[in-house]
Amino acid sequence: METTRFILSTSPHIRDPITTRKIMCQVIVALAPVTLYSVVIHGVHGFYVIVSSIAGALLGELAVQKGRRLPVTLDDCSALLTGLLLALTLPPKVNWWIALVAGLVATVLGKQVFGGLGHNLFNPALVGRAVAFVSWAAYMTAGYVKSAAIGIASTPAHKAIEKAVDVAGGASPLAAMKIVYDPSLSPVGPGGVPHGIQASSYYKPLLLANPWGCLGEVSALLLVLGGIYLAVTRIIDWRIPVIYVGTVAALTAITGRDPLFYTLAGGLLIGAIFMATDYTTSPLAPRGKVIYALGLGLVTWLLRFWSNNPEGVMFAILFMNGLVPIIDRYVLPRTYGKAARTKEASGP
Amino acid sequence: MRTVAGINAGWRKRIRGGVHPPDNKHYTAEKPITRMEAPELVAIPLRQHIGAPCSPKVKKGDRVLVGTVIGDSEAFVSAPVHSSVSGTVREIAPHPHPVGGESPAVIIENDGLYERDPSLQPSPWEDMGPEDIRRAVRAAGMVGLGGAAFPTHVKLAPPGEFPIDTVILNGAECEPFLTADYRLMLEQTEEVVEGLRIIMKAVGAPRAVIAVEDNKPLAVRKLAEVVRDPAIELRTLRTRYPQGAEKVLISNILGREVPSGGLPMHVGVVVNNVGTARAIAHYFRTGLPLVERVVTVTGSVIREPSNLLVPLGTSFAAAVEACGGFMSHPAKVIMGGPMMGLAQHTLEVPVVKGTSGILALSDREASYEVPREPVCIRCGRCVEACPMNLIPTYLAVFSHRERWEEARRLNINDCIECGCCAYACPTRNPIVQLIKFGKAELARLKAAEERRARERETSAGKEGGGGNH
Ligand code: SF4
Ligand code: SF4
């Protein structure tokens, strides 16, 4: 028999069909319902924001890779996902150019300066958001705007929401409840917050049609469904969102406030499901992930209740991102057959 | 009723780590073992086991019979090699070896008569002591047939300070594609179980566990019918690769961890493969040493995938030919399974004692892009997949950057090279390749270090001697 060349490589000779691109695409699929619904609720301006943010992220990645003569990796869909995630953390009324700049910042400063995919310390989308948040604070405050103000016609969805808004007032639910619970810490007065508002009156709009928050906060239900999809397909580790949200809820309850409200309101769900689970910026090993998620819950709770801001998810995640190298250094699994972990070991 | 009660089917504990590759056993699972004729020329390597290679015991022109010793060694960790055919020794020359490179082999012209060496006689193991059993096992040329090819008599001779309380018979066969052990458990059940009893006697173990993955219910049923001894327990294990890896098996069945750098005997266990047990029993029953073995010849490009009983020394080419040849050119030919097998560069290599399978993969199955530099998105899949609880991505990166000391501190030497990490990696990092490289480098550095220490000692000794003058 003739002996022609065979491929020679070391074992294993087969690979799981999963690829980076497939993973990113799965996350995008999980975000698709909430993205589409957001456009339905917030109208075409929301669509512009999303497109600008994605364009910024793709451009940033492309520019750096072209500039440094590196292979262009837009096809791994990671920059696309970063742009989309960023957009979903922006307020619907934000100017399109802010979204574009934030997108650029996300991939350039958030990812490429660290050395690209897998090397960044902080979640790129949140870096983009944080920069926009600090630079254009006035534009970035997410309050409810009547549809007329952003130039779109009222849809039946809008009418229903406006009715709900009339019940609950114009301020975001977290800001409203901050005024109710600790007026001393709240930077704004009680204007627009109906007297005697109950946290529970927000449940339904937060779950089904939330007009106050960022683009990605339109429906807690859709976010949770996306999260379940990702957990079942084993794209994300369920431990992070479950422990993170669980910690926030538990601490909230201990503080004597409504845990369900504080779970549904603000950026907690989108942050816990889609941001905190980012591979690169979360710990490698299971035990580290648990510690990280507990830390996230604790910091979020601290910021929400003991700072001037009603919300704390973004800074909590960025803060814990910064601790990941330390967690990865000290919290490694015990090797099979070793009595205990040999000294401390560090990652590359 | 007792047979059902005898199976501990409740054992569904999820092993830590592991992966679930498509098992692809359908190609050959239903194919009974068939014997193939040896080709006109067989090339029997003198090195077919871990340990000292054999020196030839025959020379060019000698007539040999089936079972004639053609190579042996004085070393303890070694096993003799026998002729698988009757015929004439054509030459003793380097020949391509499936484990890599070339290695001296006895090339025999097969006369097609299969005349047996008259000295081969059955031996009644029931009347023999452990020492005699071990000697017989060595004389039979027995090595681990699961693929590792470690001389069996060494495994059966644990030193007195490590009493063996349990023999585990490994019928997990967790590698995808392979069905040789499965067929043996179905077709040669009596011999498999008898082999286990011989092993128990040799190591003085009071009990044994037969471990089979739960994707082989027919084998489990068959074994349950045959096992009569209450000291032998039958256990089904959750199907998950690498369930059959020694260390994984021991911790899943007995809850014991083999200490790092140690052997199963250090925790009172001896693990043997079902194929080895069957071959041992066959030897005591017939006197025929290890001159043939069951090989699963399989893969999508093999015309008639089969479980073949192949005389050792038969070329891969002849074994593939016996299965109808290739339907299309294979992109990759592997000895063993797809997770731990060795890629071959030629089909001239002979079937050896450790050849559990010949696997031919098509282009589509065998090609995937590997990044030039390891890219890690830190997804943690390799960490979750590692049955040894290592951090494969760090080991790969440290090996890549030649930071040996850090790799060692992260226990790179505890890696069993099972391949789970690389299998699971979405960026297709060649993790195992890098780890193997790192381990080899560390071993080299350690050897060099020891050599230097020895040299220092001897030169210090000389100086000391000089001072005495
Ligand atoms: S690091 Fe070694 S033991 Fe762990 S999964 Fe990879 S090959 Fe297997
Ligand atoms: S599986 Fe691959 S990409 Fe994921 S952490 Fe391990 S090496 Fe990195």
Side-chain angles (χ1 to χ4, degrees):
Chain A
M1 188 174 291
E2 95 287 15
T3 53
T4 11
R5 301 288 305 162
F6 301 126
I7 301 176
L8 289 177
S9 58
T10 32
S11 58
H13 305 285
I14 48 173
R15 300 294 165 111
D16 192 304
I18 194 82
T19 59
T20 307
R21 182 191 156 92
K22 282 185 194 159
I23 292 169
M24 301 295 167
C25 291
Q26 290 281 40
V27 182
I28 292 169
V29 166
L31 284 169
V34 82
T35 308
L36 295 177
Y37 188 53
S38 184
V39 176
V40 171
I41 297 280
H42 293 297
V44 70
H45 188 79
F47 178 71
Y48 295 149
V49 172
I50 294 167
V51 170
S52 316
S53 163
I54 291 176
L58 294 177
L59 260 164
E61 180 125 320
L62 183 71
V64 174
Q65 290 181 333
K66 281 273 181 219
R68 297 185 53 205
R69 293 177 202 286
L70 294 170
V72 173
T73 58
L74 292 184
D75 63 339
D76 69 14
C77 294
S78 131
L80 174 61
L81 175 58
T82 299
L84 176 61
L85 269 176
L86 167 65
L88 295 178
T89 65
L90 296 177
K93 65 174 178 182
V94 77
N95 299 36
W96 65 268
W97 57 267
I98 294 183
L100 186 84
V101 173
L104 275 168
V105 168
T107 44
V108 175
L109 287 185
K111 177 174 165 194
Q112 290 297 338
V113 291
F114 289 96
L117 185 68
H119 295 285
N120 45 296
L121 186 54
F122 299 104
N123 187 308
L126 289 184
V127 170
R129 182 178 197 258
V131 168
F133 192 80
V134 173
S135 313
W136 298 286
Y139 294 91
M140 289 290 291
T141 326
Y144 172 70
V145 215
K146 276 203 186 276
S147 49
I150 49 174
I152 56 166
S154 278
T155 60
H158 258 94
K159 297 219 176 78
I161 292 165
E162 267 157 27
K163 239 174 75 197
V165 174
D166 280 341
V167 176
S172 85
L174 280 179
M177 292 320 289
K178 192 155 190 107
I179 293 163
V180 173
Y181 282 123
D182 9 61
S184 62
L185 270 175
S186 184
V188 290
V193 179
H195 186 67
I197 182 97
Q198 293 289 315
S200 56
S201 56
Y202 286 108
Y203 290 169
K204 210 173 139 201
L206 285 176
L207 267 172
L208 301 176
N210 168 14
W212 299 281
C214 299
L215 282 169
E217 295 166 15
V218 282
S219 163
L221 186 66
L222 290 182
L223 289 173
V224 170
L225 289 179
I228 291 174
Y229 174 72
L230 291 181
V232 169
T233 52
R234 303 189 62 102
I235 299 291
I236 62 168
D237 191 326
W238 61 270
R239 277 169 279 217
I240 294 177
V242 168
I243 296 175
Y244 181 5
V245 173
T247 309
V248 172
L251 291 173
T252 305
I254 291 168
T255 327
R257 302 190 193 180
D258 183 337
L260 182 60
F261 169 77
Y262 279 95
T263 298
L264 300 177
L268 181 58
L269 287 174
I270 192 170
I273 296 168
F274 294 96
M275 310 270 184
T277 52
D278 173 45
Y279 292 151
T280 303
T281 56
S282 61
L284 260 179
R287 231 159 23 109
K289 288 180 182 164
V290 172
I291 293 174
Y292 168 78
L294 288 170
L296 283 168
L298 180 70
V299 178
T300 303
W301 172 76
L302 283 174
L303 289 175
R304 274 186 172 182
F305 296 166
W306 276 277
S307 82
N308 282 139
N309 283 318
E311 182 53 296
V313 171
M314 173 174 73
F315 286 115
I317 296 177
L318 289 172
F319 177 78
M320 288 307 291
N321 284 167
L323 294 187
V324 165
I326 300 174
I327 296 176
D328 268 351
R329 189 184 174 98
Y330 290 101
V331 190
L332 290 178
R334 182 185 63 83
T335 301
Y336 177 108
K338 290 270 181 198
R341 194 161 53 77
T342 43
K343 291 195 211 110
E344 109 268 10
S346 65
Chain B
M1 207 48 230
R2 78 151 290 283
T3 55
V4 176
I7 311 170
N8 187 347
W11 193 262
R12 289 292 185 284
K13 199 181 121 193
R14 190 181 183 284
I15 60 169
R16 65 176 145 203
V19 290
H20 209 127
D23 83 352
N24 279 316
K25 294 190 193 266
H26 62 273
Y27 287 109
T28 52
E30 307 301 323
K31 304 280 183 68
I33 297 166
T34 49
R35 176 184 294 275
M36 78 167 277
E37 284 286 309
E40 276 166 34
L41 277 185
V42 293
I44 305 178
L46 290 166
R47 170 172 63 90
Q48 294 192 42
H49 47 259
I50 292 173
C54 294
S55 349
K57 294 291 172 208
V58 288
K59 53 187 192 310
K60 186 174 171 171
D62 281 2
R63 175 159 164 81
V64 293
L65 304 174
V66 174
T68 304
V69 174
I70 54 176
D72 205 345
S73 149
E74 296 294 312
F76 177 59
V77 184
S78 185
V81 177
H82 306 80
S83 174
S84 57
V85 296
S86 59
T88 317
V89 176
R90 174 187 278 191
E91 59 175 338
I92 295 165
H95 192 83
H97 193 287
V99 174
E102 297 208 325
S103 139
V106 180
I107 319 265
I108 302 168
E109 283 171 27
N110 177 11
D111 64 12
L113 300 175
Y114 299 98
E115 208 178 310
R116 274 208 192 182
D117 200 310
S119 68
L120 306 178
Q121 293 302 329
S123 24
W125 63 271
E126 283 95 341
D127 307 335
M128 294 163 70
E131 190 48 50
D132 289 336
I133 292 179
R134 281 194 286 270
R135 210 168 307 147
V137 165
R138 185 189 189 283
M142 214 53 71
V143 304
L145 298 185
F150 188 75
T152 305
H153 67 276
V154 182
K155 251 190 188 179
L156 300 189
E161 69 258 44
F162 298 113
I164 301 300
D165 60 38
T166 310
V167 173
I168 295 178
L169 191 63
N170 186 354
E173 200 167 54
C174 57
E175 270 273 6
F177 286 97
L178 303 187
T179 55
D181 288 352
Y182 173 63
R183 292 310 308 184
L184 279 175
M185 288 188 282
L186 274 187
E187 298 176 32
Q188 310 281 342
T189 326
E190 301 277 350
E191 284 196 348
V192 167
V193 176
E194 183 174 345
L196 172 60
R197 288 169 55 220
I198 299 172
I199 294 166
M200 288 168 74
K201 182 159 190 193
V203 299
R207 75 160 180 148
V209 178
I210 306 179
V212 187
E213 276 191 336
D214 58 10
N215 60 354
K216 306 175 184 70
L218 290 181
V220 175
R221 206 176 314 155
K222 195 74 198 296
L223 283 162
E225 283 165 18
V226 169
V227 174
R228 290 273 163 268
D229 188 342
I232 299 177
E233 183 192 339
L234 192 50
R235 244 189 222 183
T236 54
L237 302 166
R238 205 186 137 106
T239 302
R240 193 170 175 88
Y241 181 87
Q243 186 68 266
E246 240 175 31
K247 290 182 172 180
V248 175
L249 209 51
I250 293 171
S251 80
N252 278 343
I253 291 180
L254 300 172
R256 300 179 197 166
E257 275 187 18
V258 180
S260 171
L263 292 170
M265 68 173 185
H266 296 134
V267 289
V269 187
V270 161
V271 182
N272 275 277
N273 172 267
V274 292
T276 317
R278 184 259 162 192
I280 291 174
H282 196 68
Y283 172 72
F284 283 95
R285 283 186 178 191
T286 64
L288 191 69
L290 187 56
V291 294
E292 56 189 16
R293 68 156 296 151
V294 183
V295 179
T296 304
V297 184
T298 185
S300 58
V301 297
I302 301 276
R303 196 172 305 275
E304 284 162 39
S306 323
N307 297 296
L308 283 186
L309 186 61
V310 186
L312 299 183
T314 301
S315 69
F316 276 30
V320 168
E321 215 40 65
C323 297
F326 295 120
M327 287 191 286
S328 59
H329 181 71
K332 204 178 215 181
V333 176
I334 295 157
M335 178 174 87
M339 293 301 286
M340 290 187 78
L342 297 166
Q344 303 297 317
H345 66 96
T346 163
L347 294 173
E348 269 175 65
V349 293
V351 167
V352 293
K353 293 174 180 176
T355 309
S356 49
I358 298 173
L359 171 61
L361 295 179
S362 70
D363 203 38
R364 194 180 48 77
E365 293 164 310
S367 25
Y368 42 82
E369 244 176 273
V370 175
R372 226 172 298 143
E373 293 261 309
V375 180
C376 178
I377 58 171
R378 291 175 43 88
C379 68
R381 280 179 172 72
C382 56
V383 180
E384 295 249 0
C386 180
M388 295 293 107
N389 268 353
L390 300 166
I391 310 285
T393 174
Y394 286 179
L395 299 178
V397 171
F398 284 141
S399 294
H400 182 68
R401 299 195 188 148
E402 312 201 348
R403 282 158 64 178
W404 312 122
E405 191 43 37
E406 282 144 302
R408 196 188 54 72
R409 256 199 287 141
L410 283 177
N411 305 329
I412 190 170
N413 284 320
D414 286 292
C415 167
I416 58 171
E417 299 176 13
C418 65
C420 292
C421 49
Y423 174 81
C425 177
T427 65
R428 308 275 186 271
N429 275 340
I431 306 178
V432 180
Q433 188 180 338
L434 288 164
I435 290 179
K436 282 184 179 172
F437 169 60
K439 279 162 93 175
E441 261 326 277
L442 271 168
R444 205 180 53 75
L445 290 175
K446 192 170 161 219
E449 179 62 35
E450 277 166 9
R451 203 171 46 242
R452 267 199 304 281
R454 260 200 315 279
E455 277 164 15
R456 263 200 306 277
E457 246 167 56
T458 46
S459 66
K462 267 183 214 139
E463 275 161 30
N468 277 342
H469 275 291

